[in-house]
Amino acid sequence: MKKILLFIFICSISFAQKKTIEQRVDSVLALMNLEEKIGQLVQYSGGWDTGTQTSRPREGHIELIRKGKIGSLLNVFGAEETKKIQKVAVEESRLKIPLIFGLDVIHGFRATFPIPLAEASSWNPSLVEKSARWQAIEASSAGIHWTFNPMVDIARDPRWGRIMEGSGEDPYLGSLMAVARVKGYQGNDLSANNTIAACIKHFAGYGGAEGGRDYNTVDFSERTFREVYLRPFQAAVNAGAATLMASFNEVGGVPSSGSNFLQTKILRKEWKFDGFVVSDWNSVGELIPHGVAKDLKQAAELGIKAGVDMDMEANAYYNHLSELVNEGKVSQKIIDESVRRILRIKFRLGLFDDPYKYCEAEREKNTVMSKQIVQATLQSAREAMVLLKNKNNLLPLKKDLKKIAVIGPLANSKDDPLGGWSQQGNANDVVTVLEGIKNKLGKSTEVNYEEGCTILGEEKNGFTKAVELANASDVAIVVVGESRNMAGEASSRAKIDLPGIQEDLVQSIQKTGKPVVVILMNGRPLTIPWIQENVSAVIETWYLGIQAGNAIADVLFGDYNPSGKLPVTFPRYVGQIPIYYNHKNTGRPYNPNDHYTSYYQDLENTPLYPFGFGLSYTTFTYSNLSLNKNKIKKNESLKVSVNVKNSGSVDGAEVVQLYIRDLVGSVTRPVKELKDFSKIFLKAGETKKVEFTITPEKLKFYDINMRFVVEPGDFKVFVGTNSEDVKEASFSVVD
Ligand code: GLC
C-alpha cells in the first residue's frame, strides 16, 4: 500500500506542471535515503560479453537497479533494450527514479559522419550543428539520452591519437565547434525525445599530454590553461551544455578527476555551471596510480569533494561513499549537491515525465540510417576535405578518362573510413574510394584497383602490379594513410610519417611519370614532405564516414569544389613538434640571416602546411583591407572589411580568416590569434565585401595579474586565406 501511495505522490509531482524543476528535485531528494542518493552517483557500463549487437547490463546490475543503487548505464542501447531496463528502475525500485543512458556518439550512432577533426576542417559551424542534430535524432531513437561528446580538447601535438576527436589547435575555432555540437545535440528543448544531453570532455587539459603520449602528464601555466585549453569548455558551458566529463590527466600535479580548482572553483564558482560532472572511465580510481590517493576509499573522498558527481566504472562511490558519510569524512550536503545536479538533468531531459519516450521501437526502425541522415553524412564529408596541392590544375579530373588506376591499402577499405569512436558504424554501410569512383563514372571509363602494399607491412611484392596498372592508365589515384585504429584513444604514435612502405609505393607510382593524385586517409597531421614536393595533387580526407567514397569522387571529378581548411598545423618532421600557428615570438624569433635565433639547423623552419590552409579549384583575390578607425578606446569596437574576388573560373567557397596580434602587452602575446572567420560562396568572377567587427571581447587576455582585460597598445590585424597568406593593417587601443 505504502508503495502505491508513494508512486502516486511521485506521479503527482510529475503532473504538477507549475512546480519548477528545482522544487521537483527537492521533493525527490527529500524522499531518498543515503543508499539511494549514492545510487544516483554510480554509473556502470553494459557488458560486451553478451556478444550481441545490443550490449546488455552486466550480471547483477539489474538487481542493483531494482534496489536504486545505479543511476546511469553506458554502452547499453536500443529502444527495446533500454525500455526493458528502464522499466526495472521506474516500476520496480522504491522511488522509481529513471536511469540516464549514455553513449559515445562522437560522430554518429550508426550513420557515421566524418571524424570531428574532419568536420572542423569545414570551418562551417552551422553544418557541424546540423550534423550533431542528426546524430542526436538517430541516437535518441535508439534509447540514448546523453552523448559523451563534444570532445573539445585543444591539441597541439599530432603524436596524440585523440587529436582526431577534437577540433584542432585553435581555441576560437574549437569554441565555435564545441558550441555548434552542444546546440546540435541539445536542440532548443532538452526534454524533446529527439534531443540528447551533451557532455563536454575531457575536463580538462587532456590534449596537453607531454610528448603527445596519451594519459601522460600535463603541466602548463594557469594563463595557458585558461587562454587555450579551457576556452572551448567555457564556451560550451555558456552555450548550456548539460554535463561535463572529468579527464584522466593531471595538470601541474593535480589530477583533474580530483581537482577542486577545476570541478568546483572554475566550473561552478566562476562559470556558474549547474549541470553534473561524470568521471572518465575509472578516472576516480586512477587517483591511486596518480599517487594522490592511497586506496579507493580515499579516491572516492577526493573525487566527490572535488565536484565529480558521477563515478564511471571505478566502484569508488558504490563501495565507499556510505562509510565516508557515516565516518563524517564526506558531508551529506556534498552528496545532496551531486544528487541534485544529476536529478536536475534527468528532469530537464523529461525522464521523470515520460521515462519511455526514447524507447519507441518503430521510431528507431524508421530513423536509424534513414536516407536524410545518410545524405547529411555526404555533405559533411564533402566540406571536410582539404585540397593541399593541385599543381597545374591536375584536379578536377575529367569524367571521360579511358582508364583510371586506383591504388593503395586504403583505396578499397570498408572499415577505415569509419575512423575511431565510430560507435555502431557498420563497415557494410561504407562506400569505399574505389566504389565512389566507380559510382561516379560511366561504363566508358575503365577503373582498376591494385592494393600495392598493406598499411603496416614491409612486403613490396604488390608494387609490380600497381606500377603496371599505373603505366596502363591515364591517371593514378593512390589512397594512403593510417588504419582507423592508429588514431583515437591510446593510439599515440612517435613517428607520424606514412606507416609502413606506403611512401615507397607512392614513389614507385610517381616514377611512372603518369599523373598522380594522393588521397590521404588519416586521423592526425602526417609528415609527408616528399609527397608535397613531388606529387601533383594531394587531398586530405581524414576519415569521412559512410559516404567517404562518394564525397571523394565528388571532389576528384569536380562535382564539389573543395573548401576545407586545416584546423591543425602539419609539421615537416616530427622533431618540430610542438609547432602551432599561435605561438609566442620569443626574444630571438627565427631569422634566417642570424645564426643566434630560434630554429632547427637541419630543416626548413616552417610548417609543411600552416593552420587554416586549404586550396580550391578556383582562386580568391583579397583587396581593400580597411578599418573604419585606426584608434579605438578599450570599450569600443572596430570594423574591418576586405574585398574577396573569385578570380578563377569555378564557383567556390572560401573561408576568410581574421587574426590579430597584440604587439606589446604586460605579458608576452601570440604572434597571431584567430578572432573571426567567414565562409562565403562566390560565383566565378564575383566579388564580395566581407566585414568583421573586432569587439573588446576579442582583444581581452589574462594580464600580468591574471585579470581578463583589454590593454591599450598597438595591434596588427591580418585577413586572408590561411594563417600565413594574409593582408595586414594596424590599429591602436587607447585608454
Ligand atoms: C573512454 C574515453 C572517454 C569515453 C569514456 C566512455 O576511456 O576517455 O572519452 O567517453 O571512456 O566510453
Side-chain angles (χ1 to χ4, degrees):
M1 182 56 184
K2 213 166 34 167
K3 278 195 175 180
I4 296 172
L5 285 174
L6 209 50
F7 182 67
I8 294 166
F9 176 65
I10 292 275
C11 290
S12 63
I13 290 176
S14 62
F15 292 123
Q17 291 310 328
K18 58 184 175 307
K19 274 189 180 294
T20 67
I21 282 184
E22 290 315 302
Q23 288 167 326
R24 296 168 77 183
V25 166
D26 288 341
S27 309
V28 175
L29 198 58
L31 296 170
M32 298 171 82
N33 61 38
L34 179 59
E35 293 309 315
E36 289 160 335
K37 289 177 181 176
I38 292 169
Q40 288 301 304
L41 313 184
V42 173
Q43 179 188 60
Y44 283 117
S45 173
W48 301 105
D49 47 12
T50 55
T52 63
Q53 268 305 315
T54 307
S55 82
R56 293 196 169 77
R58 292 204 303 261
E59 197 52 46
H61 285 174
I62 289 292
E63 190 46 33
L64 294 180
I65 290 167
R66 189 170 287 116
K67 289 178 180 160
K69 290 179 172 255
I70 294 179
S72 172
L73 291 177
L74 73 145
N75 294 328
V76 176
F77 42 81
E80 292 187 346
E81 183 63 29
T82 53
K83 182 168 192 173
K84 225 167 40 198
I85 302 159
Q86 191 68 291
K87 276 172 82 77
V88 173
V90 172
E91 297 175 25
E92 298 175 33
S93 74
R94 189 177 81 89
L95 289 179
K96 319 206 178 309
I97 296 172
L99 294 167
I100 180 169
F101 289 92
L103 191 69
D104 290 290
V105 182
I106 308 301
H107 51 114
F109 169 69
R110 165 77 187 274
T112 309
F113 283 77
I115 58 171
L117 189 63
E119 286 200 326
S121 304
S122 71
W123 289 54
N124 186 345
S126 70
L127 178 78
V128 170
E129 181 176 340
K130 283 190 200 111
S131 161
R133 185 88 289 282
W134 281 117
Q135 294 170 39
I137 288 168
E138 192 183 48
S140 60
S141 79
I144 295 307
H145 309 141
W146 175 32
T147 177
F148 304 129
N149 211 39
M151 184 275 215
V152 303
D153 298 307
I154 295 292
R156 292 172 154 175
D157 191 328
R159 291 171 293 183
W160 190 50
R162 302 197 78 164
I163 194 169
M164 55 76 62
E165 280 178 72
S167 297
E169 70 191 44
D170 181 71
Y172 178 78
L173 180 63
S175 299
L176 291 186
M177 291 297 153
V179 169
R181 293 193 169 106
V182 168
K183 288 181 176 171
Y185 290 135
Q186 299 191 167
N188 301 319
D189 174 8
L190 193 53
S191 69
N193 73 350
N194 66 1
T195 57
I196 57 178
C199 181
I200 314 304
K201 71 184 186 184
H202 304 80
F203 193 55
Y206 186 25
E210 284 178 0
R213 204 173 74 238
D214 206 359
Y215 316 118
N216 200 11
T217 305
V218 173
D219 201 348
F220 35 52
S221 68
E222 184 179 336
R223 177 171 288 105
T224 298
F225 203 6
R226 286 180 180 274
E227 278 189 354
V228 178
Y229 292 90
L230 290 177
R231 282 260 305 278
F233 287 94
Q234 188 170 10
V237 165
N238 292 343
T243 72
L244 276 84
M245 179 182 288
S247 61
F248 292 121
N249 59 285
E250 70 161 84
V251 182
V254 182
S256 301
S257 293
S259 166
N260 198 282
F261 171 72
L262 267 179
Q263 312 300 347
T264 296
K265 180 178 182 299
I266 289 189
L267 184 58
R268 270 102 185 201
K269 294 203 165 80
E270 287 185 26
W271 296 354
K272 311 292 181 220
F273 174 66
D274 72 351
F276 71 84
V277 174
V278 63
S279 77
D280 202 338
W281 189 288
N282 188 38
S283 66
V284 170
E286 289 173 12
L287 297 177
I288 301 168
H290 267 299
V292 293
K294 66 180 184 309
D295 55 26
L296 200 58
K297 181 174 175 183
Q298 190 185 5
E301 181 179 357
L302 282 174
I304 197 73
K305 283 181 171 175
V308 178
D309 303 302
M310 188 183 279
D311 170 11
M312 181 193 290
E313 278 287 335
N315 288 312
Y317 292 6
Y318 177 82
N319 286 322
H320 297 291
L321 274 188
S322 181
E323 61 186 304
L324 285 163
V325 171
N326 295 334
E327 291 166 5
K329 290 183 177 166
V330 171
S331 70
Q332 190 74 245
K333 183 171 178 296
I334 283 182
I335 300 289
D336 287 357
E337 257 322 293
S338 289
V339 176
R340 181 186 306 281
R341 294 172 187 140
I342 292 167
L343 292 179
R344 182 179 294 138
I345 298 303
K346 290 186 175 182
F347 270 109
R348 285 183 185 163
L349 276 164
L351 292 174
F352 278 90
D353 297 324
D354 177 1
Y356 303 127
K357 66 181 172 177
Y358 290 79
C359 309
E360 295 154 26
E362 194 57 23
R363 180 161 82 99
E364 181 181 22
K365 193 158 70 56
N366 299 331
T367 307
V368 173
M369 280 296 283
S370 71
K371 272 208 298 297
Q372 304 99 309
I373 296 181
V374 173
Q375 184 59 29
T377 68
L378 175 59
Q379 186 53 29
S380 280
R382 286 180 183 130
E383 293 202 39
M385 279 181 267
V386 184
L387 179 60
L388 298 176
K389 187 176 179 186
N390 190 21
K391 191 176 168 193
N392 305 328
N393 293 323
L394 170 62
L395 294 174
L397 300 174
K398 296 201 176 338
K399 292 180 182 174
D400 60 359
L401 288 170
K402 287 283 162 279
K403 277 188 83 175
I404 294 177
V406 180
I407 296 165
L410 287 157
N412 202 30
S413 167
K414 297 291 278 182
D415 206 40
D416 293 307
L418 292 171
W421 289 108
S422 57
Q423 201 33 256
Q424 295 309 300
N426 187 320
N428 297 324
D429 301 329
V430 170
V431 177
T432 69
V433 179
L434 178 62
E435 290 165 344
I437 292 169
K438 288 183 171 176
N439 292 343
K440 176 67 67 181
L441 301 174
K443 294 281 168 274
S444 61
T445 305
E446 198 184 322
V447 181
N448 298 300
Y449 165 64
E450 280 297 339
E451 183 184 41
C453 67
T454 59
I455 292 171
L456 274 172
E458 298 297 325
E459 258 316 303
K460 293 194 175 187
N461 52 21
F463 281 27
T464 311
K465 279 189 169 177
V467 168
E468 282 167 5
L469 178 62
N471 270 319
S473 304
D474 300 316
V475 66
I477 297 166
V478 191
V479 189
V480 290
E482 299 175 305
S483 64
R484 61 188 290 232
N485 57 21
M486 297 175 87
E489 184 171 358
S491 307
S492 299
R493 290 179 64 212
K495 295 189 296 175
I496 55 170
D497 44 16
L498 275 176
I501 52 170
Q502 295 180 84
E503 186 155 308
D504 301 340
L505 175 66
V506 175
Q507 292 183 5
S508 304
I509 304 302
Q510 180 68 18
K511 275 198 200 100
T512 65
K514 293 287 183 175
V516 176
V517 181
V518 162
I519 304 271
L520 295 173
M521 193 181 290
N522 48 301
R524 59 164 55 81
L526 296 177
T527 45
I528 51 166
W530 187 90
I531 286 177
Q532 167 51 28
E533 185 61 32
N534 296 284
V535 174
S536 298
V538 185
I539 307 175
E540 175 56 78
T541 72
W542 309 113
Y543 299 112
L544 290 175
I546 53 174
Q547 283 290 308
N550 288 335
I552 290 169
D554 283 345
V555 166
L556 279 172
F557 296 95
D559 289 337
Y560 183 78
N561 180 1
S563 60
K565 300 283 183 178
L566 293 178
V568 62
T569 301
F570 274 53
R572 292 178 183 283
Y573 296 93
V574 72
Q576 287 178 285
I577 294 169
I579 179 171
Y580 47 90
Y581 89 94
N582 46 356
H583 60 81
K584 299 301 187 65
N585 202 36
T586 77
R588 294 199 174 189
Y590 171 51
N591 171 354
N593 307 316
D594 180 345
H595 178 70
Y596 296 97
T597 56
S598 183
Y599 74 109
Y600 298 98
Q601 287 184 346
D602 48 355
L603 55 71
E604 195 187 319
N605 280 264
T606 55
L608 186 63
Y609 306 108
F611 174 80
F613 180 82
L615 302 174
S616 167
Y617 291 151
T618 189
T619 51
F620 296 101
T621 310
Y622 286 67
S623 61
N624 293 348
L625 173 61
S626 57
L627 313 180
N628 69 334
K629 297 180 245 182
N630 56 20
K631 218 183 271 306
I632 55 172
K633 289 207 173 57
K634 285 199 289 192
N635 60 355
E636 288 180 335
S637 295
L638 181 74
K639 290 240 183 279
V640 181
S641 69
V642 66
N643 289 343
V644 182
K645 177 175 184 180
N646 178 339
S647 42
S649 57
V650 182
D651 299 350
E654 166 70 332
V655 180
V656 183
Q657 301 160 42
L658 179 138
Y659 301 84
I660 66 149
R661 180 178 182 179
D662 182 352
L663 295 175
V664 177
S666 58
V667 293
T668 59
R669 308 286 296 115
V671 296
K672 233 172 239 147
E673 293 176 282
L674 180 69
K675 291 295 179 183
D676 210 335
F677 61 86
S678 173
K679 185 163 189 176
I680 60 172
F681 183 82
L682 291 173
K683 290 196 164 309
E686 183 185 5
T687 297
K688 263 185 192 158
K689 183 178 182 183
V690 181
E691 293 183 319
F692 300 102
T693 301
I694 297 180
T695 60
E697 202 53 34
K698 289 180 186 283
L699 300 178
K700 285 182 179 175
F701 67 100
Y702 288 91
D703 72 358
I704 190 72
N705 299 310
M706 288 303 286
R707 291 168 313 191
F708 193 57
V709 295
V710 178
E711 287 185 348
D714 297 334
F715 289 76
K716 283 193 172 175
V717 57
F718 308 94
V719 178
T721 187
N722 63 55
S723 59
E724 287 184 359
D725 183 0
V726 290
K727 299 217 175 291
E728 69 174 76
S730 300
F731 68 94
S732 302
V733 175
V734 296
D735 254 330

